[in-house]
Amino acid sequence: MLLKKLCNIPSVSGNEKEVRDFIYEKIKPYVDEIKIDFLGNLIAIKKGKESFPSIMLSAHMDEVGMMVNSVDENGFIKFLPVGGMDDRIFVSKVVEIGKNKVKGVIGAKAIHLQEPDERKKALKHKQLYIDIGAKSKEEAEKLVSRGDYIHFDSEYIEFGENLIKAKALDDRAGCAMIMEILKEKYDSTIYAVFSVQEEVGLRGAGVAAYRLNPDLALVLEGTTCYDLTDIDEPDFATRLGNGPAISLVDSGSYFDKNIIKKLLKLAEKNNIKVQFKQTTKGGNDAGRIHLTREGIPTSAISVPCRYLHSPISVIHKDDFENAIKLVSLFLESIKKEDDYE
C-alpha cells in the first residue's frame, strides 16, 4: 500500500530528500513537469485546458522528530525536538539516527533514583538521553554526529476496524491523497506541491504558492482528533470514522467560503460523510498559502488523526479514502467560468 511505504520513510523537517525521491519516482508517469525548488519543495504540474482555473494541491512531506545536540562522555546522546511535540511522548521510544539509521532507545534516570519532586512531573526532553549501546563518547561519535536527524522507529500497522497506526500520518496521508489524485485527468491545471518544513513554521508552501500563483488552493492534511473517553465532546476537534474534516477557521487561516460550500454540496450529493473541525486550534500550510501575493482562495480537507505528532498516530481508512473521493469530485466539478476571487 502506498500510504504504508510513505509512512515508513523517515523525513524529519529539513531532511525530506528520501521521501521526496520516492514521491518523484511514483508520480513521474502521471504529470507533465516536475520541479524541485531551492527549499526542497517538490512541485509537479499536470496540465489542463486553457482558461480553466489552476488549482494548487498541497501536502507537506516532513514529520516531527529530533536532532542530535551533543554526546556525553559515557556515549549517551542529548537531543533537541524538531517540530511541536509533547515531551511526554519521548521516554522509552525506539529511534533511528542519521543516514545509517543507527538504532537507539530514549531513556531516563530510573524512577527509584529520582527525587520526590521529579516523580510528580513529566520528564522534559532535556532530562532524557538516547542510548545507542556505546561505551564512550569516542565510540558513539563514530556512529553519530551533532546535527544528525533522529526519527521514531514505528512501523505501519493496520488494526481494529479499518484503523491504521503509523508515524508521520501528518502528513503522509495528504501526500498519498495527492499521489492518487494525480493518476486521473482534469480540465484544470493541477499544481501538486509536496512541501517541506511545515512542522517548523509552514516554510515551504508559501514559497511554492508565490512561484505558482494558482487561482485557488486545497491543503490536504492530517488533523487533530480527540474523541476519547475523558474529553468533552465539544473538544473532540474531529471524530475518527466520521469522514474527512472541513475547517472554517484555525489559528492561521479563515478558509474560503465558496470552496467550502462547493465541498459540502458535493459531499451531500455523492453521499460522502464529512464533518466540521470543531476547534480553531492548530494550523497548516494554508496559513502561508492564502496570504501569498494578492491572496489565494484556500481551503483544507483533513483526515482526523488521533495521537498527532507522535510515533503512534491513528487514522480511519474510510476517512482517508473519502477525502480522496471528495477532492477528485471537486476537481471534476470545476468549470471554465468559475471565479474564486
Side-chain angles (χ1 to χ4, degrees), residues 8-10 49 63 71 90-91 94 105 127 145 174 195-196 204 239 250 257 259 270 314 326 337:
N8 286 341
I9 298 171
K49 299 177 181 177
E63 64 190 90
V71 181
F90 290 120
V91 70
V94 180
V105 293
Q127 298 171 275
S145 301
S195 67
V196 297
R239 293 166 174 79
D250 64 22
K257 292 181 176 62
I259 298 176
N270 292 277
V314 173
L326 184 57
E337 64 273 13

Side-chain angles (χ1 to χ4, degrees), residues 126-179:
K126 292 181 180 180
Q127 298 171 275
L128 306 174
Y129 55 84
I130 299 175
D131 184 349
I132 61 170
K135 297 177 181 177
S136 66
K137 181 174 184 176
E138 291 73 24
E139 188 176 328
E141 288 182 338
K142 291 177 182 177
L143 300 172
V144 303
S145 301
R146 180 176 288 182
D148 279 352
Y149 288 95
I150 306 164
H151 61 270
F152 293 111
D153 185 7
S154 178
E155 289 293 314
Y156 174 106
I157 294 173
E158 296 186 14
F159 70 105
E161 287 191 30
N162 280 336
L163 299 185
I164 294 168
K165 184 280 296 184
K167 72 171 184 62
L169 284 166
D170 175 26
D171 186 26
R172 302 300 155 68
C175 293
M177 287 163 60
I178 294 178
M179 293 169 76

